[in-house]
Amino acid sequence: MTRLQTWSALVLAAAVFPAAQASSHREAPFITRHPKVDATDFYMFRSYEPGRDKFVTLIANYQPLQDPYGGPNYFSMDPDALYEIHIDNNGDAKDDLTFQFRFQNMNKDAKFNVGGKQVSIPLVINGGPIDTVNPAGLNVRETYTLTVVRGDRRAGARTVVGTFDKPVDNIGNKSIPDYAGYAAKHVYSVNLPGCATPARMFVGQRKDPFVVNLGETFDLINIKAPAVEFAANAERAARDDLADANVTTIALEVAAACLTSGSDPVIGGWTTASLRQGRLLNPAPGNGAAPSKEGGAWTQVSRLGMPLVNEVVIGLKDKDRFNSSKPSGDSQFADYVTNPTLPALVEVLYGGAGAKAPTNFPRNDLVAAFLTGVKGLNQPATVTASEMLRLNTAIAPAAKGSQKRLGVIDGDTAGFPNGRRPGDDVVDIALRVVMGKLCTLNLGCKPTDAPAGALRFTDGAYLDDSGFAASFPYLNTPLTGSPQQ
């Protein structure tokens, strides 16, 4: 290989790997222009909170890379967007149950008396305490409406469940001395249509649960831990560049019996966000006039099921197309799964260390992981090849402290890719799977097809269940914008 070819390969790999390490933070060109509807991570798992094992927790995170101090408007959701969590419970790659979220912002227009005049204040808060739902001290009230749709998300039977308050982001300790207690008052028990058991719901800011070494990865994969390593300490050798970032969470805990259909315990799930087709900007907003007018049909601009798919599987030219597509149309992306580029790039970079790409084509092992579910684990009775997160709700959850960070490939069938828990290290898992780990288990291929299938590929950023709570909504209290007491 010439020096120019080596450099080109490194640049190409650097363009792919950062996305691989960042889950779905800014994963496609168009979504970078609309951060409020950028889905970052989707989780779906049997609840492991004691006494809640008959429930499934769904978590959809949006708005990546939130600086805790990012005031004065912080990170409200887009009132002109539609956020959705979809469930397919019969294997046809179409949504059978959809949870829709619409957000509303109300400016209370708090005023101060300044020199005898009532003058509107410029901040989200007006100096009063923030310690309960919709407190008087909060100048901007953000609410959301939950609607449940059975059948097609646009044409199915719709039921408006109700409107609820979203807690303001963690401004700081002076404004909100006990943020954990304040946020906990926004965990709601909700009655969903067709469900005999009430669900639990929380929507609000959380500490970003994803762990990644972004900066050094962008620098031509200049990570402290090599991508191929046998020593266990290499998995802890890199920093977490999201350690100082928050994210906005939509979390639902629904009885498993309400999500499944018939005798098949396997469900598929994914999350999307949509915007209106048209936008007319107002050249003179204010005095009751909105900055823009939105109209037209809903247009999907964000999609996320399995982690890392749009990052390490879908080619750059099709990333926006993938975000606008539905699982039922995933045949158009089949070549990216059966003949993936990432293993070839890893071999270019680290082939000298033994990182040889798998030789089995088509990659039926990846088809099972990404498109059909693994037979005997989370493959539904009726299979339509399509990308989504799949969960076998008949598999009992593993308690916090006993979960294995590498999930199924380490013998923990309650973990990824059978659903996804917050403590599943999907980066390390995905790197090992694309390099042939499933071949060593005779799943879709044989061990001789994957020369590097037994290597412990890692990005060096460590993640396990010890970093999360043992109860709903599982994700941690967001970092405070002002840590001073």
Side-chain angles (χ1 to χ4, degrees), residues 130-473:
I130 299 177
D131 55 8
T132 190
V133 176
N134 188 29
L138 189 62
N139 192 28
V140 176
R141 182 185 186 188
E142 187 175 10
T143 61
Y144 61 95
T145 300
L146 169 64
T147 300
V148 176
V149 183
R150 291 194 176 273
D152 181 82
R153 59 179 169 172
R154 299 292 177 260
R158 302 167 56 85
T159 302
V160 178
V161 176
T163 299
F164 308 86
D165 275 87
K166 172 182 172 291
V168 69
D169 293 346
N170 196 356
I171 297 169
N173 294 333
K174 188 174 182 180
S175 301
I176 316 173
D178 178 17
Y179 191 89
Y182 163 68
K185 295 177 181 178
H186 295 80
V187 175
Y188 297 100
S189 176
V190 293
N191 294 313
L192 303 179
C195 299
T197 308
R200 287 195 293 186
M201 178 173 63
F202 172 82
V203 177
Q205 191 180 51
R206 297 281 91 185
K207 166 69 182 70
D208 194 324
F210 200 66
V211 170
V212 60
N213 174 19
L214 274 177
E216 291 175 344
T217 303
F218 275 109
D219 184 23
L220 294 179
I221 321 179
N222 185 27
I223 57 177
K224 296 177 182 177
V228 185
E229 183 57 68
F230 292 97
N233 60 5
E235 297 170 347
R236 300 175 181 265
R239 69 173 185 264
D240 171 22
D241 284 335
L242 297 183
D244 59 354
N246 292 328
V247 73
T248 301
T249 289
I250 298 174
L252 270 172
E253 186 189 53
V254 184
C258 190
L259 299 175
T260 57
S261 176
S263 60
D264 192 347
V266 176
I267 59 174
W270 68 100
T271 184
T272 64
S274 300
L275 298 172
R276 294 294 189 183
Q277 284 184 341
R279 171 176 293 176
L280 182 64
L281 298 180
N282 185 351
N287 295 322
S292 66
K293 180 68 174 179
E294 319 289 325
W298 289 115
T299 301
Q300 183 180 304
V301 296
S302 179
R303 170 187 169 188
L304 180 60
M306 292 277 287
L308 309 173
V309 168
N310 207 1
E311 295 74 16
V312 303
V313 179
I314 305 300
L316 180 60
K317 72 180 181 68
D318 284 326
K319 288 185 182 297
D320 289 330
R321 179 187 295 273
F322 179 83
N323 267 349
S324 66
S325 67
K326 297 179 180 180
S328 58
D330 281 348
S331 61
Q332 64 185 310
F333 306 116
D335 287 349
Y336 290 123
V337 178
T338 59
N339 298 73
T341 58
L342 179 59
L345 294 173
V346 173
E347 181 172 333
V348 167
L349 287 167
Y350 299 105
K356 302 297 183 181
T359 57
N360 55 304
F361 298 104
R363 289 289 304 274
N364 291 324
D365 54 327
L366 299 187
V367 170
F370 289 114
L371 300 181
T372 65
V374 178
K375 189 174 183 179
L377 176 71
N378 64 343
Q379 188 178 101
T382 300
V383 182
T384 301
S386 52
E387 189 281 309
M388 62 181 72
L389 197 60
R390 289 179 172 86
L391 174 68
N392 186 342
T393 63
I395 295 177
K400 175 179 164 61
S402 65
Q403 298 174 15
K404 295 183 178 180
R405 58 182 287 271
L406 298 179
V408 171
I409 65 173
D410 197 24
D412 182 359
T413 57
F416 184 79
N418 181 33
R420 180 188 177 188
R421 303 166 300 197
D424 290 335
D425 194 337
V426 296
V427 173
D428 281 8
I429 297 170
L431 283 172
R432 298 180 196 195
V433 168
V434 299
M435 293 304 292
K437 178 63 179 180
L438 296 184
C439 295
T440 69
L441 304 176
N442 290 295
L443 295 175
C445 47
K446 56 186 183 296
T448 55
D449 292 328
L455 296 183
R456 295 168 59 171
F457 290 87
T458 180
D459 71 331
Y462 191 83
L463 177 68
D464 66 14
D465 68 342
S466 65
F468 301 96
S471 60
F472 183 83

Side-chain angles (χ1 to χ4, degrees), residues 66-75 122-124 169-171 205 481-482:
Q66 295 181 15
D67 292 324
Y69 48 82
N73 291 302
Y74 297 94
F75 300 95
L123 302 176
V124 175
D169 293 346
N170 196 356
I171 297 169
Q205 191 180 51
S482 171

Side-chain angles (χ1 to χ4, degrees), residues 83-101:
Y83 301 84
E84 297 175 295
I85 297 174
H86 310 272
I87 298 295
D88 169 24
N89 57 25
N90 59 13
D92 65 354
K94 298 178 181 179
D95 34 17
D96 299 297
L97 182 63
T98 298
F99 303 97
Q100 297 182 336
F101 296 82

